[in-house]
Amino acid sequence: MRKVSFHSTIFGILLVVLIPVRNLRAQNLDSLFQHSLEFARQQLENSVAEIVDTTQFARSTDEYGNWTTKSSGSWTSGFFPGCLWHMYKYTSDSTWKNWARSWTAGLWDEQYDTGTHDVGFKVFDSYGLGYRMTINEDYKPVILRAAQSLATRYNSTVGCTRSWNNRTFPVIIDNMMNLELLFWASKNGGETEWYDMAISHGLRTMQDHVRADGSTYQIVDYNPTTGIIIQKETSQGYTTESTWARGQSWGLYGFTMAYRHTGDVRLLETACKLADFVVDNLPEDYVPYWDYFAPNIPNEEKDASAAAIAASGLLELSGLVDSTDLQVKYWNTAENILASLSSDSYLAESSNSSGILLHGVGNHNKGSEVDVSLIYADYYFIEALLRHQGLVSPTLAPREYACLTPTKIKLLPNYPNPFNPVTTIPYRLSESANLAFSVYDLTGRRIRSFDTVYQNAGNHRFIFNARQLASGIYLFVMQAGPQVKSIKITLVR
Ligand code: GLY
C-alpha cells in the first residue's frame, strides 16, 4: 500500500479547507461588489435628475449632501460623463449611453485647452471612454485634438509636459495619469512624437518624483532652459517630504498604465515600488489617510478617492506582473480596499450624499472639499468594480479567454519576452486539435486572427510577425475548442 506522508496529508486537508474558504470569499465579494454597483446605478440615476444641465459637471458634495457642480473647465469635468459611460458598460442600457453622450458633448471646448495638463482628465475620461466603448468615430478627432493641446506643453529639455502654469515649470505626480491621452492618441492616428513625449515624461517622473522607498513627491519644479530641478514641493500633501495619498495613487495607476502602453520594464518596476509602498502603509481598513504621514494619525481624515484610484491601479498591475506572489498580493489588496469602500463606513447608502462614496478629501491644506463625496472617487471606484468583474479594460485576461485547465496546449519554456518584432512561440499539444490563434490588446479587442489549423499531438511553434504593432502589452491566445491558452506578450519598439 502507498505510504501517505504527513506532509501530503496536511496538504490535502489544507486544500479541502482552503479551497472552499477561497470560494466563499470570492462569492461574498462578488455579491458585495454587485451591491455597490447597483447602488452606484441608483445614485447616478438620481444625479442625472439632480443636475439636469449638461454643461454642469458634478464635482463634490456640499454640507447638505447635494452635488456642487462646475463648468467644463474644471479638472474634474470628465468624471461625471465617465461615470455615465461606465454605467452604460455595466447595464448595456441605451438610456445611459444617451446621458453619457449628452454630458460628453458639454466638454467639446476642452479639446482646445492648452492651459493645463488636466486636458487629459477632461477629455480622455469622457470622449476617450466613450470612444473605447462605442467606437463613435466622431469622438476620435476630439481626442486627437486634445492630445495635440497637451503636447504643446512639452519641453524637450525637461523631457516633460508642464502640469500647471504657476511656479517655473512644475510637474506634478498627478500628471502621470494624463500621459494616457498621449499614448493612446499616438497609437490611434496621432503623432508618433506624442508617444516619445509620454515615455520621456514617465521616465523623468520615475527619476525625480519617486523616492527610494517607493513613496512620492507631489511637485518637482524645473528650470525649462536647463532642465535642472529648482525645487521639490507639495501642494496637497502635508509636507514636501511626506506622501500625499492621492498623489501616490495617481503614480501607482499612472506607471502601471504607462507600462501597459510601452512594455518598458522600468515603468513596471516603478509601478511595483509605488504599489508596495501603498500595500505596506495602508491602515487597518485599507483606506489611506489624506497623507500617509499626516501629523495626527489616527485622528486625521481618510481619503476614499486615494483608495479607489489605488484599487483600480492594483487590479491592473496584478495582471501585468509575472510573479504569482505579486499577482496575489496586488489583487487581494485591491479586493480588500473595494470591500472596505463597499462597507457602511464608506458607501454613501445610509447618508444624504448624492455621491457613491463618502469621506474624500480634495485639498486638506486649503480646508477645501474635506470629508465629502468626490466625483473622481466615484469614477475610479466604479472602474475598479468593473475591472474586478472583467467588464472594462484593461484586463489582462478577459474572462472568456482565461486559461482553462487542464488544457491540451502547453507553452514550452524559453519563450522570448519581450520580442521584437518577430517571435516564435513554442508549445506542445498533448493530443491533436484544430487550433485557432489570435492576438488581443488589453482593451479586449482582437487585433489579429489567423486561420485555424489542424495539428497532430507533439511540439509545434507559432511564428508571429508583430512588425505592425505598437509597443505595449498584448495577449496571444491559442484556442482548441473550449480550451484556451493565453500568454502575455511584451512588445518594445
Ligand atoms: N490634481 C488633481 C488632484 O487634486 O488630485
Side-chain angles (χ1 to χ4, degrees), residues 400-420:
E400 62 269 39
Y401 306 117
C403 178
L404 305 176
T405 49
T407 170
K408 57 181 115 174
I409 312 164
K410 182 172 162 25
L411 287 156
L412 297 176
N414 303 324
Y415 173 71
N417 191 9
F419 66 91
N420 187 9

Side-chain angles (χ1 to χ4, degrees), residues 153 155 158 160-162 166-171 220-222 224:
R153 302 184 64 78
N155 173 307
V158 179
C160 290
T161 51
R162 181 174 181 163
N166 59 10
R167 297 179 173 78
T168 313
F169 190 101
V171 176
V220 179
D221 196 20
Y222 296 96

